[in-house]
Amino acid sequence: MSAEPMVRAERVHKSFGAVEVLRGIDLEVRSGEVACVIGPSGSGKSTFLRCINHLEKISAGRLYVDGELVGYRQRGNRLYEMREREVAAQRRDIGMVFQRFNLFPHMTAAENVMEAPVQVKGLRKAAARERAAELLARVGLQGRMDAYPAQLSGGQQQRVAIARALAMDPKLMLFDEPTSALDPELVGEVLDVMRRLAEEGMTMIVVTHEMGFAREVGDSLVFMDEGVVVESGRPRDVLTDPRHDRTRTFLSKVL
């Protein structure tokens, strides 16, 4: 693993009007690490994830991905926001999978996976379709290339969404509660794909309620509440012997 963390957050704040959602987040995620983020609803987990790829602009602090400042250029002590084109170039390296699958309903599974490589990277359609076939096979959907989202289960749609994110060859994958919109019997198939990605060395930050996944697959576990990191550490340590009362109270309700 490289010395430079893949993600480094320094005193990150985010406000929506008068409401401060993130109140000074400090966090590091090393290359190849799976960091799982847990906490109650409204604790700022999803907002923090969206700040990492500049879908939300931070109000204060610094966020780095692979040593590069995200969304801003620094001159002296001042930050200047990048142009949208420059931000889009940074986002290519950061895959994101949302709660809702956000697939294009009028496109097949293969076309959904092909879209960004063709439109953004200029990949030829034949090469993009070949790559889509590889990626859909990787997530266990080799027979569903030409199926439309409406013909797929929720778990299958989420696996297409993961393949779509992987199509841009990201160095970092962000998962925002990827199983929360799924029926319970479909959760396992998505977690299995994520488990394989972790085994292949993909750097991942996963906001999740799946404590078993966090315990088995996570390298680190971060507990957030009210916009701050309350504690973090090895998943088994945090889950079995939390240091803070707030963590204990939360875990007593979800374990």
Side-chain angles (χ1 to χ4, degrees):
M1 292 188 180
S2 67
E4 177 70 45
M6 180 60 76
V7 178
R8 187 167 86 249
E10 298 176 350
R11 301 178 301 283
V12 169
H13 289 254
K14 172 64 184 175
S15 297
F16 294 98
V19 179
E20 198 174 20
V21 178
L22 301 178
R23 299 189 294 129
I25 299 287
D26 288 300
L27 187 69
E28 286 192 357
V29 179
R30 298 186 310 276
S31 180
E33 182 179 339
V34 178
C36 293
V37 184
I38 63 171
S41 246
S43 58
K45 308 182 301 294
S46 294
T47 298
F48 176 60
L49 219 56
R50 292 171 66 84
C51 288
I52 293 173
N53 64 0
H54 208 59
L55 286 175
E56 298 289 355
K57 300 173 186 178
I58 63 176
S59 306
R62 302 280 191 278
L63 256 172
Y64 299 87
V65 171
D66 205 17
E68 276 191 30
L69 198 56
V70 173
Y72 297 92
R73 186 170 282 104
Q74 186 162 344
R75 295 195 195 108
N77 290 325
R78 298 202 58 183
L79 289 183
Y80 297 88
E81 190 163 1
M82 287 179 171
R83 294 187 182 93
E84 184 55 41
R85 189 176 71 243
E86 296 171 301
V87 174
Q90 285 188 325
R91 280 198 198 114
R92 288 179 203 172
D93 291 330
I94 306 171
M96 186 150 184
V97 177
F98 300 88
Q99 288 180 35
R100 297 284 167 189
F101 325 121
N102 295 346
L103 298 178
F104 295 113
H106 61 290
M107 291 183 180
T108 64
E111 287 166 347
N112 266 283
V113 176
M114 292 164 59
E115 179 72 1
V118 169
Q119 297 299 330
V120 179
K121 285 188 165 181
L123 201 62
R124 296 192 173 194
K125 282 194 173 176
R129 185 170 173 86
E130 195 173 307
R131 175 79 171 131
E134 286 171 19
L135 288 169
L136 288 168
R138 191 169 162 190
V139 299
L141 291 173
Q142 51 268 48
R144 307 309 309 268
M145 279 186 63
D146 297 317
Y148 288 90
Q151 298 169 314
L152 300 172
S153 71
Q156 289 172 328
Q157 289 185 62
Q158 192 61 295
R159 286 187 279 154
V160 173
I162 293 172
R164 178 178 61 181
L166 292 172
M168 294 297 283
D169 297 313
K171 59 178 77 165
L172 169 68
M173 286 282 282
L174 308 176
F175 292 87
D176 187 7
E177 298 189 16
T179 59
S180 65
L182 300 178
D183 292 333
E185 68 270 20
L186 302 177
V187 167
E189 63 192 49
V190 173
L191 294 180
D192 284 344
V193 170
M194 294 168 64
R195 193 176 280 110
R196 286 200 298 275
L197 283 179
E199 288 166 358
E200 291 163 10
M202 176 63 74
T203 311
M204 297 158 59
I205 302 179
V206 184
V207 171
T208 186
H209 294 296
E210 300 293 336
M211 298 301 162
F213 177 86
R215 183 187 288 110
E216 293 160 31
V217 181
D219 297 297
S220 63
L221 185 62
V222 178
F223 172 62
M224 282 180 64
D225 193 17
E226 296 182 353
V228 298
V229 173
V230 176
E231 73 176 281
S232 62
R234 289 180 3 188
R236 287 176 190 277
D237 295 342
V238 175
L239 292 171
T240 58
D241 190 21
R243 299 188 305 273
H244 291 266
D245 287 341
R246 282 157 80 185
T247 318
R248 274 193 289 274
T249 302
F250 173 75
L251 290 174
S252 71
K253 294 172 182 170
V254 298
L255 289 178

